[in-house]
Amino acid sequence: MELGSRPQPFLIRYSIDQKTAQEMPFLLTDISEARDVAHTTLRFALRMNDADNGAADIFDGHGEKLGRMAVLFDDSGAMNHEHWTWFDGEKAPLQ
């Protein structure tokens, strides 16, 4: 966080295995920080729920959709990996 930057409200709506799980409000400085929080908390929620895919929609304090982050864990092969994608803006896919 930059000195003098003011936190602003963001809402992150989580979906795990195609089911909407919950919404969480956060006070963050910008969309970059909101994406970091969404990624970290979504990964944690997936592991806690023993799920392999999920998404997080990020909204600003006025309810405008800023984008969607999707995470997929592939633990099926010899080399397990994670894939994540960010979709910008209001037209980001809903499911």
Side-chain angles (χ1 to χ4, degrees), residues 4-16:
S5 60
R6 301 179 88 179
Q8 53 190 312
F10 287 89
L11 178 74
I12 303 177
R13 181 180 303 149
Y14 298 96
S15 302
I16 297 173

Side-chain angles (χ1 to χ4, degrees), residues 8-40:
Q8 53 190 312
F10 287 89
L11 178 74
I12 303 177
R13 181 180 303 149
Y14 298 96
S15 302
I16 297 173
D17 282 339
Q18 307 301 321
K19 299 175 191 143
T20 300
Q22 65 182 26
E23 295 179 347
M24 296 289 296
F26 293 92
L27 285 175
L28 306 166
T29 56
D30 57 30
I31 185 63
S32 178
E33 187 176 24
R35 286 174 55 176
D36 288 345
V37 168
H39 183 229
T40 302

Side-chain angles (χ1 to χ4, degrees), residues 8 23 33 35 41 50 58-59 66 77 83 86 91-92 95:
Q8 53 190 312
E23 295 179 347
E33 187 176 24
R35 286 174 55 176
T41 55
D50 197 28
I58 301 175
F59 300 87
L66 302 174
H83 178 77
W86 170 255
K91 296 187 189 242
Q95 293 289 348

Side-chain angles (χ1 to χ4, degrees), residues 24-74:
M24 296 289 296
F26 293 92
L27 285 175
L28 306 166
T29 56
D30 57 30
I31 185 63
S32 178
E33 187 176 24
R35 286 174 55 176
D36 288 345
V37 168
H39 183 229
T40 302
T41 55
L42 180 57
R43 290 180 81 247
F44 181 74
L46 290 172
R47 291 300 188 198
M48 292 299 296
N49 287 285
D50 197 28
D52 65 359
N53 70 80
D57 294 306
I58 301 175
F59 300 87
D60 67 12
H62 302 290
E64 181 181 342
K65 186 174 178 181
L66 302 174
R68 180 181 186 90
M69 175 169 291
V71 174
L72 172 67
F73 291 119
D74 184 357

